[in-house]
Amino acid sequence: MQDDALFEQFLAERADALLRFGYLLTGNPHDAADLVQDALVRLRGAWGRVRRKSDPESYVRTTMTRLHINAWRRRRREHVTAVPPDRVHVDVPYEGSPVWDVLAKLPRRQRAVLVLRYYEQLTDVEIAGVLGISQGTVRSQAFRALGKLRDDLPALAEKGYLA
């Protein structure tokens, strides 16, 4: 019963941060909630082992990142949306903005590397461990992603979206 209380305490303290992390990975609040839920189910199954050996939040974030990349591989870039195309609904302030659209064009692995590097402030070594790739791949994915963002920045600046 001690484990149940500790698991519930972890959820109460970190659920919002995990949802924000999921949103940054997926770009969709509904997919983010699903991603967090799937990762927490896996955490619950391994709770006793994870609680004793390492930081549970790190385990969940790694699981979320890997689930997100695997989902992309299964769907092969299919964009599933809950919003019918005949109406506009903005659930999150940044969704639908030109800057967000540029970020959403990035491949999932490149976006994951940027999120882990700039939002989570992880080192290349840590990112490589989370994603299960080499440090060189982390650097090349970040380089490519930033290059794509740089290509789109002049058009955004001309339209006045960047201050």
Side-chain angles (χ1 to χ4, degrees), residues 9-152:
Q9 179 183 357
F10 171 76
L11 286 178
E13 292 173 359
R14 302 308 305 157
D16 290 337
L18 292 172
L19 278 170
R20 286 190 302 272
F21 179 70
Y23 177 75
L24 288 171
L25 285 175
T26 63
N28 179 318
H30 307 291
D31 289 342
D34 290 343
L35 190 62
V36 171
Q37 183 177 1
D38 290 344
L40 289 175
V41 166
R42 291 175 186 228
L43 173 65
R44 185 61 184 115
W47 179 250
R49 179 176 42 86
V50 171
R51 184 180 56 83
R52 285 190 304 269
K53 292 186 179 181
S54 65
D55 176 28
E57 187 167 357
S58 174
Y59 177 89
V60 174
R61 288 176 186 264
T62 300
T63 302
M64 288 171 62
T65 304
R66 289 180 178 166
L67 286 170
H68 174 65
I69 290 171
N70 288 339
W72 169 78
R73 287 179 182 148
R74 283 191 305 269
R75 286 190 289 214
R76 294 288 178 196
R77 298 187 185 261
E78 177 182 340
H79 182 68
V80 180
T81 179
V83 180
D86 60 337
R87 69 177 188 152
V88 176
H89 175 73
V90 178
D91 199 22
V92 183
Y94 299 107
E95 192 172 354
S97 73
V99 175
W100 183 257
D101 291 341
V102 170
L103 291 172
K105 290 179 190 175
L106 292 175
R108 287 178 177 252
R109 183 177 282 179
Q110 289 179 8
R111 189 183 332 164
V113 167
L114 291 183
V115 167
L116 292 170
R117 180 180 275 182
Y118 296 106
Y119 180 73
E120 293 296 318
Q121 299 179 348
L122 298 181
T123 65
D124 288 348
V125 174
E126 294 168 325
I127 295 169
V130 168
L131 297 178
I133 57 178
S134 71
Q135 292 177 43
T137 302
V138 169
R139 288 189 293 273
S140 68
Q141 292 292 306
F143 179 80
R144 288 184 183 119
L146 292 172
K148 289 179 183 179
L149 293 178
R150 275 188 216 102
D151 291 344
D152 290 330

